[in-house]
Each structure stands twice: as structure tokens, then as C-alpha cells.
């Protein structure tokens, strides 16, 4: 959907791996548990295919929790962290401790998940901004719960929007949680992103030749 060359694709995966690595370090400090994250794959999809990727059943798949933030600067995008709803309380327990009663956990859920989303999204986007040497300014996090398609539909606007999907593996000592970060991009934002990747590659290749 976006004609990234192999080297551009690999560079983008590596950039996001740096970002989620920083997010993992921040999460580890909060939950007092070893946390590692990786981005094994990225893909450019339309909205319906992106929703289908998040779980069996396609557009009406099981509910997910999402935290979104809007960014402007080097390119414009809506970034959304999504993971299965049944894993949400596991993440909240990591934030607040395992001894908190279930009722209190559910009351803390939105605030805790918004904070997790804020950490992960800002780590990814902050890494992009640093490497591209352009600022990206973010809004406050917004919490969503519903089907994959519903959450993506709330952010996808014009027909030419594309979803850049990051598959993120969360590896914790006693938990395994898989999630996705989606970047909603229109045609202009796609072109801006590709141009930033090309400039970054030109800089590092120029430095290597010196």
C-alpha cells in the first residue's frame, strides 16, 4: 500500500524497536517487573484489514481496549494502542499491584490504561521525532473500548486513510500480552513519513561514508 523499499521498511522497524525498548524500560520501573517489548512486524493496511488482524472474527471480533493520541509535526497521525479487553485488568494489576480487589481494579482501569498508552505511544513517537529531527506534538490520551473496527472507525476519516500497524510483543516475567499500535495516516501523512525515512537514511549513509 505504501511503496517502502526493503531498506526503508527495515529502518522503520528498527526505529520502532528503539521506541518500544524505551517504553519497556519505563514500564519496568513502574511495575517493578522485568518488561521487554519488541516490534516483530509492521504492515500498511486499510481499516477493515487492520481490524481483522487484531483477532479472529474480523470486524465483529472480541472487544479491545484502546488508548489514542493525536500528533502533529513531521507528519500528522492518530496513534492508538490496542490490546484484548480480557488482558486489560492484567495490565492494571501490573500498574497498581496484585493485591488490589477486583472492584477497585475496574475503577482504576481507565486511568491506568491511559497512562500505559501514554508511555508506549509517546516512547514510539518521541523516538520518531528524535531520529527524524523534527518535533511531533501530542494531545492528551483518550480511552476507548469496543470492537477493533469501532475503535479504528472513530479515527479513520477520509477514504484514503491507511493504517500503519505495529505488532508489539510484551514479554513479562509472569504475563504474555500481545498488542498493536496503529498509526492512522492520510495520503499526505504517508508521503511525509516516507520522506522523513529517506532523509534519515541519507544522513546515516552519509555519515558512514566519511
Amino acid at each position: 500500500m505504501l511503496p517502502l523499499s526493503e531498506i526503508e521498511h527495515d529502518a522503520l522497524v528498527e526505529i520502532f524497536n528503539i521506541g518500544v525498548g524505551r517504553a519497556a524500560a519505563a514500564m519496568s520501573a513502574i511495575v517493578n517487573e522485568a518488561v521487554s517489548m519488541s516490534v516483530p512486524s509492521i504492515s500498511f493496511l486499510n481499516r477493515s484489514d487492520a481490524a481483522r488482524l487484531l483477532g479472529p472474527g474480523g470486524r465483529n471480533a472480541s472487544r479491545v481496549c484502546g488508548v489514542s493520541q493525536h500528533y502533529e509535526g513531521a507528519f500528522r497521525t492518530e496513534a492508538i494502542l490496542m490490546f484484548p479487553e480480557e488482558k486489560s485488568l492484567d495490565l492494571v494489576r501490573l500498574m497498581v499491584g496484585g493485591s488490589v480487589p477486583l472492584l477497585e481494579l475496574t475503577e482504576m482501569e481507565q486511568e491506568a490504561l491511559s497512562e500505559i498508552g501514554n508511555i508506549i505511544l509517546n516512547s514510539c513517537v518521541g523516538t520518531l521525532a528524535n531520529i527524524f529531527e523534527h518535533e511531533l506534538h501530542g494531545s492528551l490520551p483518550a480511552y476507548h473500548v469496543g470492537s477493533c473496527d469501532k475503535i479504528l472507525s472513530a479515527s479513520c476519516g477520509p477514504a484514503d486513510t491507511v493504517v500503519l500497524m505495529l505488532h508489539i510483543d510484551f514479554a513479562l516475567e509472569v504475563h504474555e500480552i500481545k498488542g498493536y499500535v496503529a498509526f492512522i495516516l492520510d495520503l499526505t501523512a504517508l508521503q511525509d513519513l516516507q520522506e522523513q525515512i529517506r532523509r534519515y537514511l541519507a544522513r546515516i549513509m552519509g555519515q558512514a561514508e566519511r
Side-chain angles (χ1 to χ4, degrees):
M1 191 166 289
L2 179 68
L4 287 183
S5 67
E6 183 176 354
I7 190 172
E8 290 169 351
H9 180 276
D10 291 347
L12 193 56
V13 172
E14 182 56 31
I15 290 168
F16 282 126
N17 268 317
I18 294 170
V20 298
R22 292 175 179 172
M27 286 289 295
S28 296
I30 291 173
V31 304
N32 294 315
E33 181 177 334
V35 178
S36 63
M37 302 182 195
S38 65
V39 179
S41 65
I42 63 172
S43 52
F44 292 88
L45 305 166
N46 60 39
R47 190 188 72 211
S48 60
D49 287 342
R52 194 173 298 113
L53 181 65
L54 281 158
R59 300 170 67 91
N60 298 313
S62 58
R63 286 154 57 95
V64 298
C65 292
V67 178
S68 67
Q69 291 183 255
H70 182 77
Y71 294 89
E72 293 192 8
F75 57 92
R76 297 181 60 180
T77 185
E78 186 87 9
I80 313 169
L81 171 69
M82 291 177 285
F83 40 83
E85 186 181 27
E86 64 267 19
K87 293 292 186 180
S88 62
L89 289 182
D90 288 343
L91 288 167
V92 177
R93 284 192 176 94
L94 291 175
M95 289 284 289
V96 302
S99 60
V100 178
L102 179 62
L103 179 60
E104 292 183 28
L105 277 179
T106 56
E107 292 173 350
M108 298 175 180
E109 184 175 10
Q110 180 171 338
E111 181 179 351
L113 294 178
S114 293
E115 179 60 23
I116 292 170
N118 189 52
I119 290 169
I120 294 174
L121 294 178
N122 282 332
S123 294
C124 289
V125 173
T127 300
L128 285 173
N130 289 338
I131 287 177
F132 292 159
E133 299 180 352
H134 279 80
E135 292 185 350
L136 281 161
H137 303 285
S139 65
L140 293 174
Y143 176 78
H144 313 271
V145 62
S147 69
C148 308
D149 192 61
K150 178 181 177 182
I151 291 175
L152 290 171
S153 296
S155 297
C156 290
D160 63 353
T161 52
V162 170
V163 183
L164 165 55
M165 293 290 289
L166 278 62
H167 177 183
I168 298 179
D169 287 333
F170 300 72
L172 301 95
E173 290 181 354
V174 294
H175 299 83
E176 286 190 15
I177 301 171
K178 297 184 184 294
Y180 284 87
V181 172
F183 289 89
I184 311 301
L185 303 160
D186 63 19
L187 183 58
T188 299
L190 278 169
Q191 293 170 342
D192 290 343
L193 174 62
Q194 187 169 39
E195 179 61 24
Q196 293 296 337
I197 297 169
R198 288 173 175 170
R199 290 180 181 179
Y200 163 68
L201 288 170
R203 287 197 302 272
I204 63 173
M205 288 177 179
Q207 292 169 359
E209 291 172 359
R210 294 176 185 174

